[in-house]
């Protein structure tokens, strides 16, 4: 997922706490690339994360674009994310699935594959920044935005399955590249619709491919090694040299390569085990802190609610706190970017809208559960570091490193938490690399054509990038990748608006089939 944005109310700062090459030729290469790429990165980032001002508070326009779309879809579909949770969970358990349904993976595997790409460092560090800059009240608006984003996921993932392509070998190609190209051409027959759809699809593919290699791979590899190095002694530890980073990168690339070569079936098999393990480890740690401070829970919830509407002076007022919460949620669950529909498109189903129902659970897991647990832990622990950092921000200072805010909160109960954090970051990063490896591969094959040779070429490039990311920071490249990913929201959401009637027809048709019994529950007790 995108890294932890936002040391201020406005735009994302350069990546921090990443590990640069220490010296010699590698350092020179890194400096040269950063110098050349920096003007491009800065210009594009300023465009994508350009600021709007509302009631004296500035924030990136892309946040408003994502939030407005989520609200529009929620109203248009009658708050379907709240009315259909029971059906979503039934579909997730495989209650309506059959062995001969077309596709590659189960609903559960599709969900865990997509979640593995969004749950990441931002859920740890980004939330720490949000509750420091916006106070406890930012948590409330983060939850609201996450709940609204569930409907955006419903729309884009229904379209992902609706317009997917199932190849002769049984593999599936889906996502914004397919539904923008095929859907818009179908919706608006003629040269205009075909041209618009193809143009939007190519732009989406390029953006997904670039971020997949840089932000979804190189940054994650670098961050994982940085965390591992920190807990093994830092500059004085046994992982202090560039050589250690290279060896780590090769080992990580090998592990990643083994998984992505197997395609979405292999990825689904891994993430269906990895994502629950991540959740148990991280949420378990959160619950431990909450349990030890159980008497502080009512007060913490009171601060979250009151802070959302009547924040303490210095947090930018109620609108400022709302924007911070929405920004964190929008940057967390990727609802509106279309990327996760690539994984969801591979699901075994005959009815596209079924995966829309399952996909809407993704922001609930990512933002409503994981991000909220992080925020609640910080608010309950109320460390001296956090409270003093809030005061610094109010006085005009910079926001602290979000990882430290979160880590300190856990350390109040779990002094050894840095090791748990390292494990969590490693699991989050590896799962992100795996899934974005698949996303990038689908984009690559869309742009260059599907063949075994082209697939192998992409896998080699991706694994080499993992090694490069472990050794070099390439800050300007990574910042550019973040901007590229969120620029995708502009084009993807235009497509979602245009194709909303298609989703409504699919929903109506499925509801009718449920009513008549054409779609009926089956005994699938063997499906998790």
């Amino acid at each position: 997922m995108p890294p932890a944005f936002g040391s201020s109310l406005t735009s994302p700062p350069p990546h921090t706490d990443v590990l640069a090459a220490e010296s010699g030729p590698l350092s020179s290469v890194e400096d040269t690339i950063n110098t050349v790429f920096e003007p491009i990165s800065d210009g594009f980032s300023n465009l994508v994360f350009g600021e709007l001002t509302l009631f004296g508070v500035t924030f990136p326009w892309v946040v408003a674009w994502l939030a407005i779309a989520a609200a529009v879809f929620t109203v248009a579909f009658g708050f379907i994310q709240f009315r259909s949770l029971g059906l979503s969970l039934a579909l997730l358990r495989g209650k309506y699935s059959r062995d001969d349904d077309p596709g590659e993976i189960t609903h559960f595997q599709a969900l865990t594959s997509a979640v593995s790409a969004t749950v990441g460092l931002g859920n740890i560090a980004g939330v720490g920044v949000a509750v420091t800059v916006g106070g406890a009240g930012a948590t409330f608006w983060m939850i609201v935005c996450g709940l609204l984003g569930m409907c955006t996921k419903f729309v884009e993932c229904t379209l992902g399955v609706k317009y997917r392509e199932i190849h002769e070998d049984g593999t599936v190609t889906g996502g914004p590249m397919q539904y923008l190209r095929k859907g818009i051409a179908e919706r608006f027959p003629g040269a205009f619709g075909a041209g618009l759809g193809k143009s939007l699809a190519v732009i989406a593919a390029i953006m997904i491919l670039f971020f997949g290699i840089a932000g979804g791979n190189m940054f994650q590899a670098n961050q994982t090694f940085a965390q591992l190095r920190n807990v093994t002694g830092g500059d004085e530890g046994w992982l202090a040299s560039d050589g250690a980073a290279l060896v780590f990168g090769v080992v990580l690339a090998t592990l990643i390569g083994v998984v992505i070569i197997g395609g979405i079936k292999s990825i689904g098999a891994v993430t269906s085990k990895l994502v629950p393990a991540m959740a148990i480890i991280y949420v378990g740690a959160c619950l431990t802190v909450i349990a030890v401070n159980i008497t502080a829970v009512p007060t913490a919830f009171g601060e979250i609610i009151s802070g959302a509407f009547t924040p303490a002076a210095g947090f930018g007022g109620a609108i400022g706190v709302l924007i911070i919460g929405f920004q964190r949620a929008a940057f967390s669950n990727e609802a509106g970017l279309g990327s996760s529909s690539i994984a969801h498109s591979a699901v075994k189903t005959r009815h596209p809208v079924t995966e829309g129902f399952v996909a809407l659970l993704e922001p609930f897991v990512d933002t409503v559960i994981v991000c909220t647990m992080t925020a609640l832990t910080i608010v309950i622990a109320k460390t001296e570091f956090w409270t003093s950092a809030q005061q610094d921000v109010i006085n005009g200072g910079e926001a602290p490193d979000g990882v430290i805010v979160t880590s300190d909160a856990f350390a109040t109960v779990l002094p050894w938490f840095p090791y748990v954090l390292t494990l969590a970051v490693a699991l989050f990063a590896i799962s992100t690399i795996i899934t974005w490896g698949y996303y990038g591969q689908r984009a690559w094959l869309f742009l260059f054509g599907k063949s075994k040779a082209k697939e192998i070429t992409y896998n080699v490039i991706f694994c080499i990038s993992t090694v490069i990311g472990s050794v070099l920071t390439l800050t300007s490249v990574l910042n550019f990748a973040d901007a590229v990913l969120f620029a995708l929201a502009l084009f993807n959401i235009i497509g979602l608006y245009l194709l909303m009637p298609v989703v409504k027809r699919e929903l109506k048709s499925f509801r009718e089939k449920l009513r008549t019994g054409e779609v009926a529950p089956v005994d699938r007790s063997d499906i998790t």
Side-chain angles (χ1 to χ4, degrees), residues 469-491:
S470 299
V471 179
L472 303 179
T473 302
L474 304 182
T475 305
S476 59
V477 177
L478 298 178
N479 288 337
F480 181 74
D482 293 338
V484 163
L485 182 65
F486 280 91
L488 175 58
L490 174 62
F491 306 101

Side-chain angles (χ1 to χ4, degrees), residues 62-395:
V62 73
V63 174
W65 181 247
L66 290 165
I68 290 170
V72 168
F73 294 136
T74 294
V75 173
F77 287 92
F79 296 84
I80 194 169
Q81 64 266 54
F82 306 112
R83 296 188 295 109
S84 302
L85 273 179
L87 178 58
S88 297
L89 294 172
L91 288 163
L92 180 64
R93 295 195 304 269
K95 188 174 179 180
Y96 295 90
S97 300
R98 289 174 169 77
D99 288 333
D100 61 349
D101 286 342
E104 297 187 79
I105 54 178
T106 66
H107 286 293
F108 182 76
Q109 290 174 328
L111 179 65
T112 56
S113 295
V115 168
S116 71
T118 58
V119 175
L121 185 64
N123 299 83
I124 299 172
V127 175
V129 172
V131 295
T132 301
V133 176
T139 307
F140 177 87
W141 295 113
M142 186 170 61
I143 295 171
V144 170
C145 188
L147 292 172
L148 294 176
M150 293 168 69
C151 198
T152 308
K153 288 282 185 179
F154 169 82
V155 173
E156 60 191 6
C157 292
T158 296
L159 292 170
V161 180
K162 168 71 175 175
Y163 293 105
R164 68 183 178 177
E165 294 181 357
I166 301 179
H167 307 291
E168 290 184 2
D169 60 1
T171 60
V172 175
T173 299
M177 299 84 70
Q178 303 301 325
Y179 63 70
L180 291 173
R181 178 177 64 86
K182 296 166 67 175
I184 293 177
E186 175 188 286
R187 183 100 163 76
F188 304 96
F192 172 76
L196 176 61
K198 185 174 181 179
S199 298
L200 292 178
V202 169
I203 291 170
I206 293 172
M207 291 178 170
I208 288 170
L209 176 61
F210 188 88
F211 183 83
I213 291 175
N217 181 10
M218 294 170 62
F219 172 73
Q220 305 297 331
N222 192 283
Q223 185 66 61
T224 303
F225 182 70
Q227 290 289 332
L228 186 61
R229 172 176 160 163
N230 286 341
V231 299
T232 56
D235 292 341
E236 306 301 322
W238 57 281
L239 293 177
S241 69
D242 290 336
L246 179 62
V247 171
F248 171 84
V250 171
V251 172
L252 181 60
T254 302
L255 294 174
I256 298 300
V258 169
V259 178
I260 65 172
I261 287 172
I264 191 61
K265 289 184 179 179
S266 175
I267 293 169
V270 171
T271 58
S272 65
K273 304 294 187 301
L274 191 58
V275 169
M278 293 183 334
I280 291 171
I281 291 171
Y282 190 72
V283 174
C286 291
L287 291 175
T288 300
V289 176
I290 293 169
V292 170
N293 297 279
I294 193 67
T295 57
V297 171
T299 302
F301 274 113
E303 290 180 21
I304 289 172
I305 299 299
S306 64
F309 300 98
T310 56
F315 289 125
I319 296 296
V321 174
L322 180 152
I323 289 169
I324 294 165
F326 270 42
Q327 178 172 318
R328 175 63 258 145
F331 289 161
S332 171
N333 57 52
E334 298 178 13
L337 305 186
S339 51
S340 62
S341 68
I342 300 174
H344 286 287
S345 297
V347 70
K348 291 183 175 182
T349 185
R350 298 182 186 279
H351 311 286
V353 79
T354 60
E355 192 56 22
F357 282 118
V358 171
L360 65 77
L361 296 170
E362 190 184 330
F364 187 83
V365 173
D366 177 274
T367 304
V368 178
I369 294 178
V370 179
C371 285
T372 301
M373 292 294 287
T374 302
L376 190 58
T377 300
I378 294 169
V379 173
I380 286 175
K382 205 180 289 293
T383 64
E384 182 180 345
F385 178 81
W386 178 54
T387 54
S388 63
Q390 284 185 313
Q391 194 58 51
D392 287 343
V393 170
I394 290 172
N395 293 335

